[in-house]
Amino acid sequence: DTTNASNISSGTLAAARVTNPLNQSTTGNATTATALAALPTPCSTGYAPTGILANGNSTGCTAVVTNFVCSGTSADPTNIAAAIAALPAWGGTLHLSGTCLLNAGGTEQIAIPANKNMTIDCGSWGTLLLEPSTVGATNDMFRIIGPNFGSRISNCYMVPQSGTPGRYGIRFDGTGGEINSVIIDHVYIAGPFGSAAIEADGSGNAQGTPDQTTIQNSILTGGFLCPNCGDAVRLINNSIYGAGY
């Protein structure tokens, strides 16, 4: 009985006996392979795709590196915040240059938002972050908001315009979640501001604030205030000045 496939032990099986006919091409490229035969078009340098088209081309290119030149005017804090917001939700890099006049009200001049694990790099101490004497006593120049993992602030020169305005140069705010693996590198906090150069708080986190964090190669006028530091907070090769913190 050759109508039952289990009874056929040798010979050639006619294509007509196969439920799905064996009539597909076995030569040349499949459609997808043909579409990908040419080099796909990537995003421009400093951008990353949010999707890939069928032909392999990038789509939804979003800036992951933004260069912002400060104007030295009262518009700087708003424009810096807009540049940070324009980066992808997961993070990216903001390069600052020029003289940044940081006179915003509220709780900080520059915020790294929760879950936005990003880098702010000033390039060199030639980039000046200037805080006027009118800034209030509860305002910080930088505020890193938890949860945050792996953000970085580097090569920034922070200085009061006159007096001791504001509060901290950099604040680790762990109230909303863990701050982990942050790097502060080659910053010059030349205050003193109203209090410590760098401060960390968020005592509700069992692991402490921050943890697994490095502060290195920096000049800190006003010291480091960390009443509830987590594990492995490393201070390496810093010059620390000022009393009482």
Side-chain angles (χ1 to χ4, degrees):
D1 180 6
T2 58
T3 61
N4 189 327
S6 63
N7 295 330
I8 301 174
S9 59
S10 63
T12 301
L13 181 67
R17 292 187 178 277
V18 180
T19 301
N20 296 311
L22 302 176
N23 58 1
Q24 306 302 309
S25 173
T26 57
T27 62
N29 291 337
T31 302
T32 302
T34 300
L36 297 175
L39 183 67
T41 302
C43 293
S44 301
T45 301
Y47 289 75
T50 56
I52 302 295
L53 301 177
N55 62 1
N57 290 344
S58 299
T59 185
C61 293
T62 301
V64 294
V65 177
T66 297
N67 298 308
F68 180 78
V69 180
C70 291
S71 63
T73 69
S74 59
D76 283 337
T78 299
N79 292 335
I80 291 171
I84 292 173
L87 291 170
W90 47 263
T93 298
L94 174 64
H95 292 291
L96 294 176
S97 60
T99 296
C100 306
L101 183 64
L102 302 178
N103 61 345
T107 56
E108 73 280 325
Q109 303 295 336
I110 301 174
I112 296 181
N115 296 309
K116 197 155 195 170
N117 311 315
M118 64 174 294
T119 292
I120 296 179
D121 180 58
C122 296
S124 75
W125 288 351
T127 296
L128 184 63
L129 307 185
L130 186 64
E131 188 158 271
S133 60
T134 54
V135 170
T138 58
N139 186 288
D140 308 311
M141 184 164 282
F142 282 96
R143 179 180 170 219
I144 302 171
I145 304 171
N148 190 283
F149 298 86
S151 283
R152 183 184 185 104
I153 299 173
S154 57
N155 301 312
C156 296
Y157 180 27
M158 311 172 211
V159 61
Q161 193 173 40
S162 63
T164 56
R167 183 171 54 174
Y168 309 123
I170 299 172
R171 178 190 176 201
F172 293 92
D173 182 1
T175 304
E178 181 181 4
I179 298 176
N180 181 291
S181 302
V182 171
I183 295 177
I184 308 297
D185 182 39
H186 197 242
V187 302
Y188 187 172
I189 302 177
F193 293 104
S195 187
I198 300 177
E199 187 268 355
D201 60 83
S203 59
N205 297 320
Q207 74 286 338
T209 300
D211 62 283
Q212 306 294 325
T213 286
T214 300
I215 301 169
Q216 62 187 10
N217 306 318
S218 297
I219 299 175
L220 309 176
T221 305
F224 177 43
L225 181 60
C226 191
N228 190 43
C229 275
D231 293 336
V233 175
R234 296 171 291 273
L235 276 70
I236 304 171
N237 195 35
N238 299 294
S239 296
I240 301 176
Y241 300 96
Y245 302 111

